Amino acid sequence: MNITIISVGKLKEKYLKMGIEEYVKRLGAYAKIELVEVADEKAPEQLSDAEMEIVKRKEGERILAKINDGMHVVALAINGKMKSSEEMAKDLESLMTYGTSKVAFVIGGSLGLHEDVLKRADEKLSFGKMTLPHQLMKLVLVEQIYRSFRIIKGEPYHK
């Protein structure tokens, strides 16, 4: 399986980079992982609704440019479906079983994802109602993908 994680903004924090690199390395035994970062749109702290829409649209265009035909797209969204680790593993296994070899997980910027990205998504996934920094979300996501493959293979993993 080929998994692409598309996220807005450059990861700067060394401790997050190290964690993500560790899980990407571990995932190498199960899948090919590609991390794609698209530029975030520079914007002032206080934005009108119209300005927020412009920022999200520009970031959304960059995201959509990285999504290939045939990719199963999972958008991380606060209003998405919440799943247990076992449910996520089952869904990934089902995709593999039925011939979907390319999956893209999409993490928006600080304002979230543009409607066009959400429309392109095959599913929306939520990790809960809390707001988390999108850079931290990348670490949580890659850990859960790793956990999913361990579950799929019946291998032990800390619960």
Side-chain angles (χ1 to χ4, degrees):
M1 177 169 265
N2 295 301
I3 297 175
T4 304
I5 298 174
I6 303 168
S7 59
V8 174
K10 187 138 183 76
L11 186 59
K12 298 172 191 83
E13 294 84 355
K14 189 175 180 183
Y15 66 97
L16 290 175
K17 277 185 182 180
M18 290 170 60
I20 291 165
E21 287 168 4
E22 177 62 28
Y23 283 109
V24 167
K25 184 175 83 178
R26 292 180 188 190
L27 272 163
Y30 306 103
K32 182 180 178 285
I33 305 291
E34 181 183 13
L35 303 177
V36 176
E37 294 176 339
V38 299
D40 54 348
E41 193 63 23
K42 303 298 177 231
E45 196 67 32
Q46 297 294 319
L47 295 173
S48 69
D49 289 347
E51 290 169 323
M52 281 195 264
E53 178 65 18
I54 291 167
V55 168
K56 287 180 7 177
R57 182 178 42 78
K58 287 180 178 179
E59 290 175 349
E61 288 168 356
R62 292 179 192 129
I63 290 167
L64 290 169
K66 301 295 182 185
I67 296 173
N68 299 325
D69 290 341
M71 278 184 160
H72 180 87
V73 178
V74 181
L76 273 63
I78 204 159
N79 63 348
K81 182 179 180 197
M82 286 192 263
K83 299 179 182 183
S84 67
S85 297
E86 291 79 10
E87 288 170 320
M88 185 169 165
K90 183 175 167 269
D91 290 350
L92 274 177
E93 185 174 32
S94 181
L95 288 170
M96 290 187 293
T97 301
Y98 295 105
T100 302
S101 63
K102 295 178 183 169
V103 177
F105 289 90
V106 180
I107 303 170
S110 58
L111 299 176
L113 291 167
H114 189 265
E115 190 60 34
D116 290 346
V117 177
L118 295 171
K119 284 179 187 166
R120 171 59 183 88
D122 296 290
E123 63 180 293
K124 296 174 196 79
L125 176 65
S126 173
F127 281 86
K129 299 221 178 274
M130 286 189 230
T131 301
L132 296 173
H134 56 284
Q135 304 298 12
L136 176 59
M137 199 60 245
K138 190 188 297 188
L139 175 59
V140 173
L141 174 63
V142 77
E143 187 279 335
Q144 283 298 304
I145 295 169
Y146 173 69
R147 184 180 295 263
S148 291
F149 278 102
R150 299 288 293 193
I151 291 168
I152 290 165
K153 298 292 185 186
E155 297 170 348
Y157 193 77
H158 186 287
K159 293 183 180 174

